[in-house]
Amino acid sequence: MITKTPPAAMPLPARLGPGDVLAIETPQGTRHVQITHIRAPYPDVLRAITPNGATDASAVAKGSTAFVAMVELGRALADGAGGIQFIGHASLPAADRAFPTFRLPIRDKAGNIVYWWAWDGEGLTVSPEAANSSLPIREILPFDSLRQRLAGLG
């Protein structure tokens, strides 16, 4: 019986950047993310990669994007969040190179959504079609929530 042995974790670079691939332990096993954009003062934008059985960065990065999120990875690492390993750097897939558009609900005092904005990393525009869109919500996803979402990938 042949088993795949994951490559040894590489030391974390001084600063994470676009293309960096991380392995994150979840209750359902190791899942992977790739940083796609860093745009101060916002958190890192990353893509969660649908598990494809690969263990090296370039093969992992060939997997499809399950979801996109903004996560403060630097803070999670500084706070000692366990189960994160840097596994290398890989080219971003062509579909993930442009900064993603996020959607943002605008609510009234009762909490009802009255309209939507779209944010492209530069500015906001009113976007009625964002209500029925698969665009990611513009929010900072806490690291524990990221781990939970990753665990649900299958």
Side-chain angles (χ1 to χ4, degrees):
M1 180 173 153
I2 298 174
T3 59
K4 282 188 178 179
T5 303
M10 300 172 68
L12 275 169
R15 181 175 290 164
L16 294 172
D20 288 344
V21 178
L22 302 171
I24 299 174
E25 292 304 318
T26 77
Q28 274 61 51
T30 304
R31 301 295 186 260
H32 297 94
V33 299
Q34 183 177 35
I35 298 171
T36 61
H37 298 84
I38 295 179
R39 183 169 289 182
Y42 302 102
D44 302 336
V45 177
L46 56 81
R47 69 185 193 102
I49 301 170
T50 302
N52 62 6
T55 57
D56 67 276
S58 61
V60 167
K62 291 178 182 173
S64 63
T65 300
F67 63 87
V68 173
M70 293 173 64
V71 180
E72 290 186 351
L73 288 174
R75 177 174 288 172
L77 291 166
D79 290 347
I84 305 173
Q85 294 181 332
F86 175 73
I87 63 168
H89 184 87
S91 296
L92 291 169
D96 295 297
R97 291 181 187 152
F99 192 87
T101 300
F102 290 85
R103 60 191 176 127
L104 175 68
I106 304 303
R107 300 178 185 276
D108 62 18
K109 291 180 182 180
N112 300 311
I113 297 173
V114 291
Y115 60 94
W116 289 84
W117 281 348
W119 179 66
D120 62 4
E122 297 294 329
L124 293 165
T125 55
V126 174
S127 179
E129 62 276 0
N132 299 315
S133 160
S134 62
L135 296 174
I137 299 287
R138 182 181 163 204
E139 65 180 347
I140 300 171
L141 188 65
F143 185 76
D144 287 340
S145 297
L146 171 66
R147 192 185 310 266
Q148 288 173 357
R149 285 192 68 187
L150 291 170
L153 298 179

